[in-house]
Amino acid sequence: MEMSLIGSSPANFTITRRDLFQLSNNKNLMMICSSAAKSQIGFGRTIRCRNLRVSAQSQHAISTKTSDRNTISNPKDGVKIYVGLPMNSVSDCNGINHSRAVAAGLKALKLLGVEGVELPIWWGVAEKEAMGKYEWSGYLTLVEMIQKAGLKLHVSLCFHGCKEESIPLPKWVSEIGESQPDIFFTDHSGKHYKDCLSFGVDDLPVFDGKTAMQVYEGFVESFRNSFSPFMGSTITGITIGMGPDGELRYPSNQDHSKNSVAPGAGEFQCYDQNMMNYLKQHAENLGNPLWGLSGPHDAPTYNQQPILNTFFKEAGSWESPYGDFFLSWYSLQLTFHADKILSLAASTFSETPVTVSGKLPLIHSWYKSRSHPAEATAGFYNTINRDGYEEIAKIFSKNSCKMVLPGMDLLDELQPAESFSSPEDLLADIRAACRNHGVEICGQNLNIAGTPKSFEQIKKNLEGGNGIDLFIYQRMGAEFFSPKNFPLFSGFVRSLKQLELDSDDLAVNESEGAVFVPGKNRKLQTV
């Protein structure tokens, strides 16, 4: 079967029965010709298309056979692009959802020149029925598909649930939680967050005599052993789940979508009995037992404006000795958890040729205020007077782990003024902390529906020696492959490849000590 890769503008996305993509009338996208039948498959919907005839007239067309498929450029240099697979790629009964559409998507990404894909592996799927009873069959089948497609794989081990995709924690964990609700994060009103375990049970043997860390360790070791044939060849990186949505944070805004800008700053999540016991002990050790009786009495509620008449107001309690005590303790629990889970992952995979990473959130609401309340309730004691990310970066450096940073598509100019938000400044601060401690960064976007501006912002964050060698675009599905979004993504990938080619084209003539610039009728004198 012959295929043509044609050079690029907006088009129609279709999938044939043989899982081939057609992107017609598009000068920035690839077009694949096939005589396959028409029954079209999409992610959660059927997409119809007419028969396609292709004439490869463009002088930029590249012909290739499936047995000798050339990607757009060599991925060994520059930023490697990965695309996240659907969150529910593997069902709770270990089948592959939308398998033909996923296979077609893998082929399209390979032809586009993408390096690999990211796969979420869920605790609630692989260890669903009983502690220590692992079922990897669905994920193993999918990894084999990825390997056959010639793509690399970055795995995210998810120790949280996902309401949007109806993916819960393991059944046996939820059953324990029914009788022991303090295994979950809890807010001031007593509401439990049941999609993630509290940091308070990291070292408590509440799971049939095992601690949460021991349970996580068993899962990670079983994964390593079961997928060892793929380590280094197909699987190149592991992101270890660190909290809600896989991120290192407290679920401070549990009433809101993770991608929405909440009107408030969220609430502190330290009111389960185990966390309160730690707070009480900490206060007593410092000689202030009254400070350990509860969290701040004037802390804002989820939707309350946080910098007016609350703990976080100008000259509020956050600047008092008590405020410093509480915020230091609260953030320290987050840091302790990060050290434990990263150390566990680093030691488990120390003898394998894969990189290990953890993900931070980008809590950019209220960043322009002095008290940074949204970051504080999420566990980051980062105020006008204090850098809250240096200690986190030290922990990543100590464990030789990379840091995954989302939000590289966000611009300050698009944030609502009332949110006091600055994703660009916050991202710069975190990256500075990482540079100070030699921590490598992997980038991610936050919004699937990209715009020309957001893709330019991603490029800006990836260019110019910014220390990022891997970017994971989230995520594959109907919206990603829509006629609106996929042309933008394709153009983005091609623009990055062109930057690599332009960089590779620079050559130094040693005998003359000059740099020759291809396409320019001149040379630049070296110093």
Side-chain angles (χ1 to χ4, degrees):
M1 177 179 62
E2 294 282 335
M3 294 186 178
S4 294
L5 184 63
I6 300 186
S8 130
S9 145
N12 298 320
F13 167 71
T14 58
I15 311 177
T16 67
R17 179 175 297 156
R18 290 169 64 182
D19 298 330
L20 296 175
F21 290 77
Q22 161 196 327
L23 295 162
S24 54
N25 298 323
N26 198 320
K27 294 182 181 179
N28 289 316
L29 295 178
M30 62 186 168
M31 182 183 295
I32 304 175
C33 317
S34 170
S35 59
K38 281 198 299 186
S39 178
Q40 275 46 323
I41 305 161
F43 290 89
R45 63 177 181 174
T46 299
I47 306 171
R48 301 184 181 278
C49 70
R50 60 186 178 276
N51 286 325
L52 173 68
R53 290 186 179 182
V54 176
S55 176
Q57 300 296 327
S58 168
Q59 62 179 352
H60 302 295
I62 305 171
S63 295
T64 180
K65 295 184 178 180
T66 53
S67 59
D68 185 25
R69 188 175 295 163
N70 295 319
T71 55
I72 293 171
S73 70
N74 190 338
K76 289 188 292 184
D77 301 314
V79 180
K80 298 177 176 65
I81 304 297
Y82 283 56
V83 174
L85 293 177
M87 298 281 273
N88 63 345
S89 293
V90 174
S91 69
D92 61 357
C93 55
N94 275 279
I96 299 177
N97 290 321
H98 315 298
S99 60
R100 288 183 292 176
V102 169
L106 296 176
K107 292 178 182 178
L109 295 176
K110 177 64 177 178
L111 285 173
L112 185 59
V114 167
E115 175 82 358
V117 293
E118 176 265 347
L119 172 64
I121 291 185
W122 297 92
W123 189 23
V125 173
E127 198 179 357
K128 177 182 176 181
E129 297 296 337
M131 182 168 60
K133 183 180 179 181
Y134 307 105
E135 177 53 76
W136 301 108
S137 58
Y139 290 114
L140 283 165
T141 299
L142 187 51
V143 173
E144 289 173 358
M145 287 174 58
I146 294 164
Q147 184 184 59
K148 289 176 182 177
L151 293 166
K152 301 297 184 182
L153 175 61
H154 187 100
V155 169
S156 296
L157 299 178
C158 304
F159 293 113
H160 63 281
C162 179
K163 283 188 173 67
E164 292 86 353
E165 300 292 342
S166 300
I167 302 172
L169 293 182
K171 183 189 299 184
W172 58 273
V173 172
S174 298
E175 289 172 352
I176 293 173
E178 291 298 317
S179 59
Q180 301 182 62
D182 286 314
I183 68 173
F184 300 120
F185 288 108
T186 309
D187 66 17
H188 187 262
S189 67
K191 180 180 178 182
H192 301 292
Y193 179 80
K194 296 185 178 181
D195 284 328
C196 183
L197 296 180
S198 167
F199 304 150
V201 295
D202 280 356
D203 300 314
L204 294 180
V206 293
F207 302 99
D208 293 335
K210 290 189 175 183
T211 68
M213 281 296 155
Q214 289 172 329
V215 172
Y216 298 151
E217 184 177 28
F219 184 89
V220 174
E221 288 181 347
S222 177
F223 166 80
R224 180 201 60 197
N225 296 337
S226 299
F227 290 81
S228 59
F230 301 99
M231 295 289 180
S233 56
T234 298
I235 299 175
T236 58
I238 309 289
T239 295
I240 189 76
M242 304 186 77
D245 299 318
E247 299 172 336
L248 179 63
R249 62 178 176 87
Y250 291 87
S252 51
N253 249 323
Q254 56 173 293
D255 281 353
H256 293 273
S257 166
K258 65 180 178 179
N259 289 347
S260 67
V261 178
E267 293 189 14
F268 293 114
Q269 304 288 319
C270 59
Y271 292 93
D272 63 80
Q273 192 57 54
N274 301 312
M275 290 290 280
M276 292 308 297
N277 288 340
Y278 293 144
L279 176 62
K280 181 175 182 290
Q281 181 181 358
H282 184 63
E284 290 174 351
N285 291 341
L286 293 179
N288 291 292
L290 294 179
W291 285 359
L293 298 180
S294 182
H297 72 279
D298 55 350
T301 58
Y302 289 109
N303 296 321
Q304 186 178 358
Q305 216 277 12
I307 59 175
L308 294 177
N309 302 318
T310 79
F311 179 82
F312 294 109
K313 69 182 180 181
E314 189 72 18
S317 302
W318 67 277
E319 293 190 273
S320 70
Y322 165 75
D324 179 63
F325 156 81
F326 177 78
L327 292 174
S328 295
W329 170 82
Y330 189 72
S331 63
L332 195 60
Q333 307 314 301
L334 186 84
T335 306
F336 286 161
H337 175 75
D339 194 16
K340 293 169 191 172
I341 197 73
L342 290 177
S343 175
L344 183 159
S347 61
T348 302
F349 295 105
S350 61
E351 301 299 320
T352 67
V354 300
T355 61
V356 176
S357 58
K359 184 178 179 181
L360 248 64
L362 196 71
I363 312 290
H364 55 86
S365 293
W366 304 102
Y367 179 83
K368 293 180 181 178
S369 67
R370 295 182 69 248
S371 56
H372 295 220
E375 292 167 83
T377 58
F380 300 95
Y381 188 7
N382 185 56
T383 68
I384 190 69
N385 304 317
R386 190 179 189 277
D387 190 321
Y389 297 99
E390 285 288 329
E391 289 302 318
I392 298 296
K394 285 180 184 178
I395 294 299
F396 276 76
S397 177
K398 170 189 171 184
N399 292 288
S400 302
C401 293
K402 291 188 175 184
M403 184 183 292
V404 179
L405 281 180
M408 294 203 167
D409 54 329
L410 301 183
L411 294 97
D412 286 3
E413 65 186 66
L414 299 181
Q415 307 307 313
E418 62 271 17
S419 72
F420 286 74
S421 173
S422 181
E424 294 181 53
D425 286 348
L426 176 55
L427 192 60
D429 280 357
I430 299 174
R431 293 176 71 164
C434 288
R435 281 195 299 273
N436 291 341
H437 298 283
V439 177
E440 295 182 41
I441 294 172
C442 305
Q444 277 190 12
N445 59 307
L446 197 64
N447 300 311
I448 296 176
T451 65
K453 276 191 173 183
S454 67
F455 279 110
E456 284 301 315
Q457 184 67 9
I458 295 172
K459 284 174 58 180
K460 175 183 172 183
N461 280 313
L462 299 182
E463 291 171 1
N466 278 326
I468 300 176
D469 65 354
L470 174 65
F471 183 82
I472 303 174
Y473 193 88
Q474 302 291 11
R475 91 179 29 256
M476 185 192 288
E479 188 175 8
F480 172 76
F481 281 120
S482 70
K484 176 184 177 183
N485 291 318
F486 195 60
L488 291 173
F489 176 75
S490 177
F492 162 70
V493 172
R494 288 177 179 273
S495 67
L496 288 182
K497 298 297 182 182
Q498 187 58 49
L499 285 173
E500 293 174 24
L501 291 172
D502 290 346
S503 175
D504 290 343
D505 283 344
L506 292 173
V508 177
N509 185 320
E510 294 180 358
S511 62
E512 297 184 12
V515 177
F516 289 87
V517 184
K520 310 274 187 182
N521 199 13
R522 58 191 174 90
K523 60 184 178 182
L524 305 178
Q525 194 68 32
T526 58
V527 180

